[in-house]
C-alpha cells in the first residue's frame, strides 16, 4: 500500500511540470508579441503602433476616461469582442465621410486594476489589444501605421514612374523607323507597334501587359528557324539591342498564340 502511494505521488510530481508547460509557452509567446507604448511612438497624445499581424498592442486606460482606438481610413468593422463586458464599456462611431471615413472604437473601464483583451476584426485585418486600467495615466488615443500597405503603394508608384519614363535616352525622333508590320493571332498581349532607331528595336505593348503573362521573343533567322534573342523589358516596351527582319512572339502550349513582326523592305527608287 505504501509503495502504491509513493508511486502515485511520484507520478503526480512528474505530471505537474507537463501540465505547466503549455501555460508557460503561451505566456512566453504573448510576452514576445506584446507591443508597449513608447515615447517615440507618440504623435502629440496619440500612440501610433506599426501594425504587424499576430502582435498584441497594449492600451492603458483609466476610470472616467475614454480612450479612442482609431482604425485605418476606409476600414470597416466586422466585429468587436471584449473579454470583460461587465467592467469595461466598449462602443464605436465614425468620423469623416466617403473614402476618408474612419472608424473609432471607444473603451472605458469602471475601475482601476482591471485587465482584459479586445479583439477587433475588420474588412482588412484583425487587431489584438491588451487592455489594462490604472488610476491615472490613461492613453488618449491609439492608431497604427501599415508598413505593408505603404510598401505596396510605393511599389505602385515606382511601377507607374517606370512605365512613364522614357524607354531609352538619346533617341532621335527624326531617325525612328516605324515600317514594321504586325500579323498573326490577336491575343490580349498583341503589341501595338514596333519601331527602331537604326541600332535598337522597340516593341510597344498595351499597359495591360504589366498584369498578364508576357510572351517570349524569337528572331527568325535567314534559314527560317526561330531563335531566342536577348531583350529587356522597360515599362511596356521590349527593347532589343539589334535590328531584325522578322521576329515572333509565342505563348502557349498546344494552342499556341503566335504574333509575327516583320520589317518592311524599303522601296527601291526607279532606275536603280
Amino acid at each position: 500500500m505504501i509503495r502504491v502511494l509513493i508511486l502515485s505521488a511520484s507520478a503526480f510530481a512528474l505530471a505537474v511540470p507537463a501540465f505547466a508547460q503549455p501555460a508557460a509557452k503561451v505566456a512566453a509567446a504573448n510576452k514576445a508579441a506584446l507591443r508597449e507604448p513608447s515615447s517615440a511612438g507618440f504623435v502629440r497624445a496619440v500612440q501610433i503602433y506599426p501594425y504587424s499581424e499576430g502582435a498584441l498592442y497594449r492600451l492603458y486606460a483609466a476610470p472616467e476616461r475614454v480612450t479612442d482606438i482609431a482604425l485605418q481610413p476606409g476600414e470597416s468593422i466586422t466585429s468587436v469582442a471584449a473579454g470583460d463586458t461587465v467592467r469595461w464599456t466598449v462602443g464605436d462611431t465614425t468620423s469623416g465621410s466617403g473614402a476618408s471615413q474612419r472608424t473609432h472604437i471607444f473603451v472605458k473601464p469602471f475601475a482601476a486594476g482591471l485587465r482584459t483583451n479586445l479583439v477587433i476584426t475588420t474588412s482588412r485585418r484583425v487587431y489584438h489589444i491588451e487592455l489594462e486600467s490604472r488610476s491615472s495615466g490613461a492613453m488618449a488615443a491609439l492608431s497604427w501605421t501599415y508598413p505593408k500597405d505603404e510598401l505596396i503603394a510605393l511599389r505602385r508608384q515606382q511601377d507607374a514612374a517606370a512605365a512613364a519614363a522614357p524607354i531609352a535616352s538619346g533617341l532621335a525622333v527624326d531617325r525612328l523607323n516605324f515600317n514594321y508590320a504586325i500579323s498573326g493571332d490577336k491575343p490580349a498581349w498583341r503589341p501595338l507597334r514596333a519601331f527602331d532607331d537604326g541600332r535598337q528595336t522597340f516593341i510597344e505593348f498595351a499597359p495591360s501587359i504589366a498584369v498578364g503573362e508576357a510572351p517570349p521573343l524569337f528572331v527568325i533567322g535567314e534559314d527560317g528557324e526561330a531563335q531566342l534573342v536577348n531583350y529587356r523589358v522597360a515599362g511596356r516596351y521590349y527593347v532589343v539591342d539589334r535590328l531584325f527582319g522578322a521576329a515572333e512572339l509565342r505563348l502557349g502550349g498546344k494552342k499556341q498564340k503566335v504574333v509575327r513582326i516583320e520589317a518592311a523592305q524599303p522601296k527601291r527608287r526607279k532606275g536603280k
Side-chain angles (χ1 to χ4, degrees), residues 56-85:
L56 304 177
Y57 303 97
R58 177 77 77 189
L59 184 156
Y60 291 107
E64 302 181 0
R65 304 290 295 180
V66 174
T67 299
D68 173 20
I69 302 171
L71 304 184
Q72 188 179 34
E75 190 172 18
S76 57
I77 292 176
T78 303
S79 68
V80 178
D84 184 350
T85 57

Side-chain angles (χ1 to χ4, degrees), residues 35-271:
R35 303 293 181 265
E36 292 280 1
S38 65
S39 298
F42 275 103
V43 176
R44 297 183 177 85
V46 182
Q47 173 68 203
I48 301 178
Y49 290 112
Y51 181 83
S52 178
E53 187 174 0
L56 304 177
Y57 303 97
R58 177 77 77 189
L59 184 156
Y60 291 107
E64 302 181 0
R65 304 290 295 180
V66 174
T67 299
D68 173 20
I69 302 171
L71 304 184
Q72 188 179 34
E75 190 172 18
S76 57
I77 292 176
T78 303
S79 68
V80 178
D84 184 350
T85 57
V86 175
R87 298 178 296 176
W88 290 79
T89 299
V90 180
D92 65 87
T93 188
T94 59
S95 65
S97 61
S100 62
Q101 187 176 70
R102 195 168 193 179
T103 299
H104 300 262
I105 298 167
F106 301 144
V107 296
K108 183 180 74 171
F110 281 97
L114 304 178
R115 288 190 177 188
T116 190
N117 71 314
L118 184 70
V119 179
I120 305 169
T121 60
T122 75
S123 55
R124 297 176 181 172
R125 55 186 64 85
V126 180
Y127 301 87
H128 298 272
I129 302 172
E130 293 292 307
L131 305 178
E132 182 176 335
S133 65
R134 296 178 171 183
S135 58
S136 62
M139 296 165 63
L142 67 86
S143 64
W144 289 264
T145 57
Y146 303 89
K148 187 179 290 186
D149 289 9
E150 292 166 4
L151 179 60
I152 292 172
L154 179 61
R155 285 177 177 171
R156 286 175 179 169
Q157 291 175 2
Q158 291 174 339
D159 290 344
I167 54 174
S169 59
L171 280 178
V173 177
D174 57 338
R175 294 182 182 178
L176 295 181
N177 170 33
F178 291 92
N179 291 323
Y180 285 82
I182 298 176
S183 60
D185 295 322
K186 296 183 178 180
W189 46 261
R190 182 184 172 102
L192 301 177
R193 61 180 176 174
F195 57 93
D196 71 70
D197 65 350
R199 184 174 58 89
Q200 295 175 307
T201 305
F202 304 88
I203 303 171
E204 181 184 0
F205 295 87
S208 58
I209 192 71
V211 296
E213 190 173 3
L217 179 68
F218 298 85
V219 166
I220 308 302
E222 294 181 359
D223 57 358
E225 294 294 323
Q227 50 187 309
L228 276 170
V229 63
N230 291 328
Y231 61 92
R232 65 182 182 278
V233 179
R236 56 193 179 99
Y237 293 84
Y238 281 6
V239 182
V240 187
D241 290 326
R242 54 166 288 189
L243 305 181
F244 57 75
E248 290 181 350
L249 294 162
R250 302 178 180 180
L251 186 64
K254 294 181 179 179
K255 297 182 179 180
Q256 188 178 63
K257 300 293 184 181
V258 179
V259 175
R260 188 176 180 89
I261 303 170
E262 290 185 280
Q265 296 296 326
K267 295 181 179 179
R268 293 184 178 180
R269 294 179 182 178
K270 292 182 178 181

